[in-house]
């Protein structure tokens, strides 16, 4: 039976499933000629010092706006933190509760081109919309409509270029799409391991073609749907163990927070392994239960290293 404690169980599971290889490459000379990823170089750490009122506590999601500002869903502290492009603290909002601007286990979040921040307030079963200064703007409650019986446990979130919200429903094993005025539009996926099925979907990402990539965590793969929710393909079963998040880099490679292996896994567009980085630990070359991956406008990769209560910033080595 699913519960809102699922993500915590995923994180704990990661201790037993660490990768023994710090940086493992696959032989892809054609990508080497294009100058695609050959490694990850740690640049900095966000969270070694207090950010506002406290240190980070099991953060889950991250988003970087077009100006390079960094937004972190600090799940254990029921808050959202904003940092400048260098990782310096700017402001925070939250605290436990159900009033506007309060949270009960915020998990993933995203920004749009208009500098709005959308935060999945998981236990309150809603999305909170904030402005770029973390002022509360509005709350999105996903209401029942027709055959749609409402949200179960919301987790991953993305906004497509049309302003529509893509939201994963952990409990319902599906993805929900809201239109640009936040009304229910469609849902897709179902419980199962067959093609088109999902099993505890977490992070979601919309690529430049409008396709929707889903971290299908307990099917240990990435599932891809088109913009209308039609199933296209899935891959990664050979390399992934409880993936929590997925993003596409400027090089069009697929970067995955491979939580069960305490690593970042890089795949080519066909799902072949390019690189695996990370092993369980606390050093600059280590990760502990990473839960989200995002690129900033500077081309650096930001990784939420949840078990280490920090965010790691990497340069992609070419």
């Amino acid at each position: 039976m699913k519960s809102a404690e699922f993500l915590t169980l995923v994180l704990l599971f990661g201790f037993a499933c660490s990768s023994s290889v710090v940086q493992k490459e696959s032989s892809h000379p054609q990508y080497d000629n294009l100058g695609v990823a050959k490694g990850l170089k740690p640049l900095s750490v966000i969270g070694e010092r207090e950010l506002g009122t406290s240190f980070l506590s099991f953060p889950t999601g991250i988003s970087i706006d077009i100006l390079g500002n960094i937004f972190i869903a600090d799940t254990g502290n029921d808050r959202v933190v904003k940092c400048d492009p260098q990782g310096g603290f700017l402001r925070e909002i939250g605290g436990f509760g159900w009033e506007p601007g309060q949270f009960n286990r915020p998990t993933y979040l995203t920004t749009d081109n208009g500098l709005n921040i959308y935060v999945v307030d998981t236990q309150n079963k809603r999305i909170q919309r904030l402005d770029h200064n973390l002022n509360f703007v509005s709350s999105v409650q996903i209401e029942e409509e027709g055959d749609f019986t409402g949200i179960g446990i919301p987790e991953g979130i993305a906004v497509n270029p049309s302003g529509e919200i893509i939201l994963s429903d952990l409990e319902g094993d599906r993805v929900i799409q809201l239109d640009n005025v936040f009304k229910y539009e469609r849902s897709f996926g179902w419980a199962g391991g067959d093609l088109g099925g999902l099993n505890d979907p977490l992070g979601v990402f919309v690529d430049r073609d409008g396709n929707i990539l889903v971290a299908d965590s307990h099917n240990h793969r990435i599932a891809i749907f088109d913009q209308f929710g039609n199933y296209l393909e899935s891959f990664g079963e050979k390399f992934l163990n409880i993936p929590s998040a997925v993003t596409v880099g400027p090089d069009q490679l697929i970067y995955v927070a491979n939580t069960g292996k305490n690593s970042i896994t890089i795949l080519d567009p066909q799902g072949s392994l390019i690189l695996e980085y990370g092993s369980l630990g606390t050093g600059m070359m280590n990760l502990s239960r990473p839960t989200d991956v995002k690129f900033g406008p500077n081309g650096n990769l930001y990784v939420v290293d949840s078990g280490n209560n920090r965010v790691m910033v990497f340069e992609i080595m070419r």
Side-chain angles (χ1 to χ4, degrees), residues 88-163:
F89 173 79
L90 291 177
R91 53 183 54 87
E92 63 185 299
I93 185 175
F96 175 78
W98 46 88
E99 298 296 329
Q102 295 180 324
F103 300 99
N104 188 350
R105 292 189 59 79
T107 51
Y108 293 90
L109 73 173
T110 192
T111 57
D112 63 18
N113 290 332
L115 300 182
N116 292 299
I117 298 93
Y118 299 88
V119 184
V120 179
D121 188 7
T122 296
Q123 294 279 53
N124 285 327
K125 297 189 176 185
R126 66 184 179 184
I127 301 166
Q128 294 208 53
R129 181 183 170 199
L130 311 174
D131 69 16
H132 68 283
N133 287 320
L134 298 188
N135 297 305
F136 174 82
V137 176
S138 64
S139 179
V140 180
Q141 301 282 168
I142 306 170
E143 300 178 355
E144 298 182 10
E145 183 175 324
D147 294 334
F148 176 64
T149 56
I151 191 75
I153 300 175
E155 286 284 350
I157 188 169
V159 178
N160 69 19
S162 299

Side-chain angles (χ1 to χ4, degrees), residues 9-274:
L9 295 176
V10 167
L11 299 179
L12 292 174
F13 181 78
F15 273 124
C17 301
S18 63
S19 169
S20 60
V21 179
V22 171
Q23 191 156 294
K24 179 172 65 180
E25 289 189 54
S26 179
S27 177
H28 282 268
Q30 68 273 33
Y31 287 100
D32 291 348
N33 292 337
L34 292 173
V36 185
K38 296 180 181 179
L40 302 182
K41 177 184 177 181
L43 295 178
S44 61
V45 178
I46 302 169
E48 290 183 309
R49 301 177 180 178
E50 284 185 319
L51 296 176
T53 57
S54 64
F55 290 93
L56 294 176
S57 175
F58 298 104
T60 300
I62 191 168
S63 189
I64 301 93
D65 69 18
I66 58 177
L67 301 177
N69 295 304
I70 302 159
F71 300 87
I72 304 167
D74 187 12
T75 306
N77 287 320
D78 293 305
R79 64 174 182 162
V80 172
V81 174
K82 179 181 180 180
C83 297
D84 65 25
Q86 290 73 46
F89 173 79
L90 291 177
R91 53 183 54 87
E92 63 185 299
I93 185 175
F96 175 78
W98 46 88
E99 298 296 329
Q102 295 180 324
F103 300 99
N104 188 350
R105 292 189 59 79
T107 51
Y108 293 90
L109 73 173
T110 192
T111 57
D112 63 18
N113 290 332
L115 300 182
N116 292 299
I117 298 93
Y118 299 88
V119 184
V120 179
D121 188 7
T122 296
Q123 294 279 53
N124 285 327
K125 297 189 176 185
R126 66 184 179 184
I127 301 166
Q128 294 208 53
R129 181 183 170 199
L130 311 174
D131 69 16
H132 68 283
N133 287 320
L134 298 188
N135 297 305
F136 174 82
V137 176
S138 64
S139 179
V140 180
Q141 301 282 168
I142 306 170
E143 300 178 355
E144 298 182 10
E145 183 175 324
D147 294 334
F148 176 64
T149 56
I151 191 75
I153 300 175
E155 286 284 350
I157 188 169
V159 178
N160 69 19
S162 299
E164 298 171 319
I165 290 178
I166 313 298
L167 185 70
S168 68
D169 181 359
L170 180 80
E171 187 174 57
D173 291 312
R174 61 187 172 177
V175 175
I176 294 168
Q177 191 166 345
L178 307 180
D179 64 23
N180 55 17
V181 292
F182 314 131
K183 299 296 183 182
Y184 173 80
E185 189 169 6
R186 65 174 62 89
S187 60
F188 47 92
W190 55 83
D194 54 340
L195 299 181
L198 298 170
N199 188 354
D200 298 331
L202 291 172
V204 294
F205 180 80
V206 179
D207 70 15
R208 65 182 182 181
D209 297 320
N211 295 325
I212 300 163
L213 286 73
V214 183
D216 187 9
S217 70
H218 268 78
N219 281 327
H220 309 291
R221 65 189 182 190
I222 302 302
I224 304 180
F225 301 82
D226 70 16
Q227 60 184 318
F228 304 109
N230 299 306
Y231 172 77
L232 297 177
E233 61 177 326
S234 59
F235 48 69
E237 293 93 332
K238 293 181 180 179
F239 316 114
L240 303 180
N241 187 346
I242 314 183
S244 290
V246 58
T247 194
V248 177
D251 49 16
Q252 295 308 300
L253 296 181
I254 298 168
Y255 293 72
V256 183
N258 201 357
T259 306
K261 295 184 73 175
N262 300 294
S263 69
I264 301 304
T265 299
I266 307 175
L267 307 173
D268 72 14
Q270 289 73 47
S272 298
L273 179 66
I274 295 293

